[in-house]
Amino acid sequence: EDKVVQSPLSLVVHEGDTVTLNCSYEVTNFRSLLWYKQEKKAPTFLFMLTSSGIEKKSGRLSSILDKKELFSILNITATQTGDSAVYLCAVEGRDSNYQLIWGAGTKLIIKP
Amino acid sequence: DARVTQTPRHKVTEMGQEVTMRCQPILGHNTVFWYRQTMMQGLELLAYFRNRAPLDDSGMPKDRFSAEMPDATLATLKIQPSEPRDSAVYFCASGLRVWGQTNTGELFFGEGSRLTVL
């Protein structure tokens, strides 16, 4: 059965710290992995990863995929209180009929 | 500014009542998803449409839930009769799946409909 596991489930750090969020997956015929940020409302898209070893970067956020070890990490450097959110990882596999399999999310709290 | 629009934003109803949630996907998008989110279960897929055809609704309790896309600008999710355990936030998301593209790509989420069944 396809599954996506995120760790840690929750994380509390101080402003300015660097955090690494993990997403491991088991999906038949992997197609892509996506990261979303969810604050109070709807999830908003961060990154889509399809190839191993190629870092995607947006400001202080970056992500990379390892298709051999079946995981991805999301890094946030110099964290700010506005980074507090639930970070969701989702994976698409061809055999899942192109649906996204979602992880439970990592709740990140940044303390001032 | 293209976005997915959902109505109602909030709904409080009594057990046994019918609830209908509506979604207007982004114009031109050909995939539509209905998700339910609770603290306990996270994001659960309820239904998935591509080009208005239902592809997967295996996550949906068939006896009380139904999902339709009467046209390309409207997707509906209906619960009849509603139960307290249906209380959750229901999200609609849409995306563009291009023929020959190897992945679904980014999904755009609506603001959600928060349902409370008393």
Side-chain angles (χ1 to χ4, degrees):
Chain A
E1 183 182 338
D2 294 343
K3 65 178 179 179
V4 175
V5 178
Q6 292 187 245
S7 63
L9 290 181
S10 64
L11 185 58
V12 181
V13 301
H14 286 98
E15 213 168 13
D17 288 351
T18 293
V19 297
T20 298
L21 310 183
N22 302 289
C23 175
S24 63
Y25 62 90
E26 292 177 26
V27 172
T28 306
N29 288 311
F30 172 90
R31 291 295 187 180
S32 62
L33 183 145
L34 294 89
W35 284 97
Y36 280 78
K37 177 183 181 182
Q38 186 175 23
E39 296 174 83
K40 291 196 191 306
K41 297 179 181 176
T44 54
F45 174 79
L46 293 174
F47 300 112
M48 182 170 71
L49 303 157
T50 57
S51 301
S52 267
I54 299 175
E55 185 182 57
K56 292 275 183 99
K57 199 169 171 63
S58 176
R60 296 176 294 102
L61 278 67
S62 63
S63 183
I64 198 160
L65 174 68
D66 186 329
K67 288 166 75 172
K68 183 179 177 185
E69 299 298 329
L70 307 183
F71 77 92
S72 172
I73 59 171
L74 175 68
N75 275 326
I76 309 175
T77 59
T79 52
Q80 302 171 358
T81 54
D83 296 325
S84 296
V86 175
Y87 289 84
L88 296 166
C89 172
V91 176
E92 178 187 16
R94 186 176 64 194
D95 288 3
S96 62
N97 202 12
Y98 304 103
Q99 298 170 30
L100 293 175
I101 313 297
W102 293 86
T106 293
K107 184 173 183 178
L108 176 63
I109 297 172
I110 310 295
K111 288 189 170 180
Chain B
D1 186 25
R3 58 194 179 109
V4 177
T5 304
Q6 288 186 245
T7 58
R9 294 291 308 280
H10 302 273
K11 175 76 175 178
V12 180
T13 191
E14 292 189 347
M15 184 172 65
Q17 296 297 306
E18 177 179 304
V19 175
T20 298
M21 289 169 273
R22 293 178 173 81
C23 168
Q24 181 175 10
I26 291 174
L27 189 65
H29 281 186
N30 57 5
T31 58
V32 174
F33 297 78
W34 280 107
Y35 289 98
R36 175 170 63 184
Q37 188 176 43
T38 61
M39 290 293 292
M40 298 300 295
Q41 298 290 336
L43 271 172
E44 299 175 84
L45 177 68
L46 297 175
Y48 165 34
F49 294 84
R50 187 187 302 164
N51 295 322
R52 293 177 55 203
L55 283 194
D56 190 334
D57 60 2
S58 58
M60 202 163 65
K62 300 289 190 307
D63 56 337
R64 299 184 300 108
F65 284 60
S66 61
E68 295 179 346
M69 273 202 79
D71 62 62
T73 65
L74 177 64
T76 63
L77 180 67
K78 188 177 294 186
I79 309 173
Q80 167 63 22
S82 57
E83 297 180 1
R85 60 182 166 150
D86 300 329
S87 298
V89 179
Y90 291 80
F91 285 107
C92 175
S94 73
L96 178 62
R97 180 69 199 273
V98 177
W99 284 112
Q101 186 173 296
T102 58
N103 50 61
T104 295
E106 178 182 354
L107 286 186
F108 294 80
F109 283 77
E111 296 282 281
S113 294
R114 181 176 293 277
L115 173 65
T116 303
V117 183
L118 302 174

